[in-house]
């Protein structure tokens, strides 16, 4: 049967009937795809350890014979990386779950997204290895996810007078969720109820991690204040822009409160 093979990161898995799973993968060569894993609940030999959330696998898929618009069939999954250090840490699991949920609900099917695949793989690898704090890594993932997805907010200069954030006199700057932009105090005429005030230092650091070479990620240093403010900004703007709440993000926020 005709088909294809590719590296893939598992984004979502739901039960289908008594024996099957429907799975969403972010693949290296085909973007996001949905497949059906037939008899996966019983087929230990074909799928052992390979169908866990955010695991990396080399998948073998075939196209359905009868229904051209039917789901692609997952015939085999060769397990490559399960990120065991993430799975034994509830906080790391929560962060990774948020990242894959973001990608699953944002991306359209069958569009190559090599940049997002590389970003997610890098972020999971770094989270698993512990080379960067999970909080800073999540800021990096979110700001770059927005850039690659085409809805990056303007946080580099006042959207009206174009003054670079570095040269804005005020230490705190208004960010407008609805417009996805910062506006200096000199240009604010009417404050939108959808937004928040962010310190200039936090904005500068977010710009830096968005524009810097990702291989230098281990040099990223954030103050505790900048981390918390960055989390508040990005974790409010992204759901606002996408028009949905994320269960994994709500769980992550509860973990932080209980810490």
């Amino acid at each position: 049967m005709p088909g294809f093979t590719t590296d893939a990161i598992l984004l979502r898995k739901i039960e289908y009937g008594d024996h099957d799973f429907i799975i969403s993968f972010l693949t290296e060569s085909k973007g996001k795809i949905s497949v059906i894993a037939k008899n996966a609940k019983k087929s230990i030999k074909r799928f052992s350890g390979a169908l866990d959330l955010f695991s990396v696998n080399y998948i073998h898929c075939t196209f359905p014979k009868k229904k051209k618009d039917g789901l692609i069939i997952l015939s085999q999954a060769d397990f490559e990386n399960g990120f065991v250090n993430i799975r034994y840490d509830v906080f790391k699991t929560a962060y990774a779950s948020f990242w894959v949920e973001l990608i699953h609900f944002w991306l359209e099917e069958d569009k190559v997204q090599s940049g997002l695949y590389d970003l997610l793989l890098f972020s999971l690898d770094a989270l698993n290895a512990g080379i960067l704090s999970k909080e800073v890594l999540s800021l990096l993932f979110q700001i770059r996810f927005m850039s690659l997805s085409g809805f990056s907010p303007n946080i580099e200069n006042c959207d009206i007078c174009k003054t670079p954030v570095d040269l804005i006199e005020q230490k705190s700057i208004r960010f407008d969720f609805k417009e996805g932009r910062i506006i200096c105090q000199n240009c604010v005429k009417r404050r939108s109820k959808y937004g928040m005030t962010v310190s200039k230092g936090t904005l500068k650091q977010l710009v830096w991690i968005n524009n810097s070479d990702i291989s230098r990620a281990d040099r990223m240093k954030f103050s505790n204040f900048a981390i918390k403010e960055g989390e508040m900004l990005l974790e409010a703007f992204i759901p606002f822009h996408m028009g949905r709440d994320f269960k994994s993000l709500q769980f992550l926020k509860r973990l932080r409160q209980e810490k």
Side-chain angles (χ1 to χ4, degrees):
M1 291 176 66
F4 61 89
T5 59
T6 182
D7 283 313
I9 302 171
L10 197 150
L11 302 177
R12 193 187 195 205
K13 178 179 72 176
I14 57 175
E15 293 185 356
Y16 184 74
D18 294 331
H19 308 295
D20 307 337
F21 289 116
I22 293 178
I23 300 169
S24 290
F25 285 110
L26 178 62
T27 72
E28 186 175 32
S29 61
K30 294 183 176 293
K32 190 183 83 168
I33 62 171
S34 294
V35 305
I36 185 166
K38 294 184 175 181
N39 295 312
K41 294 180 184 179
K42 298 190 298 182
S43 185
I44 298 174
K45 189 173 183 179
R46 281 192 301 152
F47 301 119
S48 179
L51 301 185
D52 291 329
L53 191 64
F54 54 79
S55 61
V56 181
N57 304 283
Y58 187 67
I59 62 173
H60 306 248
C61 298
T62 54
F63 298 109
K65 278 185 176 179
K66 297 180 180 179
K67 294 183 179 179
K68 291 184 178 180
D69 58 346
L71 281 172
I72 295 167
I73 300 165
L74 179 67
S75 55
Q76 186 176 331
D78 299 327
F79 179 77
E80 293 185 344
N81 195 338
F83 303 109
V84 65
N85 293 331
I86 295 178
R87 299 185 188 282
Y88 284 116
D89 185 310
V90 66
F91 272 97
K92 289 185 176 183
T93 299
Y95 276 105
S97 299
F98 175 44
W99 302 341
V100 298
E101 189 179 5
L102 265 183
I103 287 178
H104 171 74
F105 282 109
W106 177 254
L107 294 187
E108 296 179 24
E109 296 267 341
D110 303 320
K111 288 190 176 181
V112 177
Q113 301 281 351
S114 57
L116 280 174
Y117 181 89
D118 291 342
L119 173 64
L120 181 57
L121 184 59
F122 171 87
S123 301
L124 291 171
D125 268 333
L127 186 64
N128 189 63
I131 64 172
L132 194 65
S133 80
K134 53 189 177 296
E135 295 86 1
V136 173
L137 191 55
S138 190
L139 295 179
L140 178 148
F141 176 84
Q142 290 176 79
I143 197 75
R144 289 180 177 242
F145 165 77
M146 288 189 290
S147 293
L148 291 167
S149 299
F151 68 100
S152 183
N154 176 16
I155 56 174
E156 297 195 28
N157 53 62
C158 173
D159 201 58
I160 296 176
C161 69
K162 309 304 178 185
T163 302
V165 65
D166 228 8
L167 301 180
I168 294 175
E169 296 178 359
Q170 298 84 10
K171 292 183 179 179
S172 296
I173 304 168
R174 189 70 182 173
F175 180 83
D176 186 322
F177 289 162
K178 199 169 184 179
E179 300 294 334
R181 62 183 184 175
I182 58 171
I183 307 172
C184 71
Q185 294 298 320
N186 296 332
C187 295
V188 172
K189 293 181 179 179
R190 184 175 61 183
R191 178 172 291 195
S192 170
K193 63 179 179 179
Y194 304 111
M196 62 179 285
T197 300
V198 189
S199 69
K200 188 161 68 172
T202 297
L203 292 171
K204 287 168 63 177
Q205 287 187 290
L206 290 175
V207 169
W208 190 84
I209 64 172
N210 189 40
N211 296 334
S212 296
D213 187 336
I214 201 168
S215 65
R216 301 172 62 199
D218 58 342
R219 302 183 188 182
M220 297 174 185
K221 307 296 181 184
F222 273 66
S223 66
N224 289 334
F225 176 81
I227 288 172
K228 290 179 180 178
E229 197 172 48
E231 287 174 338
M232 287 177 62
L233 173 62
L234 300 183
E235 291 172 6
F237 174 65
I238 291 177
F240 180 90
H241 181 85
M242 293 177 65
R244 66 172 301 119
D245 292 323
F246 295 93
K247 291 181 180 179
S248 53
L249 180 57
Q250 298 308 314
F251 176 67
L252 177 58
K253 288 180 176 180
R254 288 197 299 272
L255 283 179
R256 290 178 187 149
Q257 291 172 354
E258 294 169 2
K259 188 177 179 181

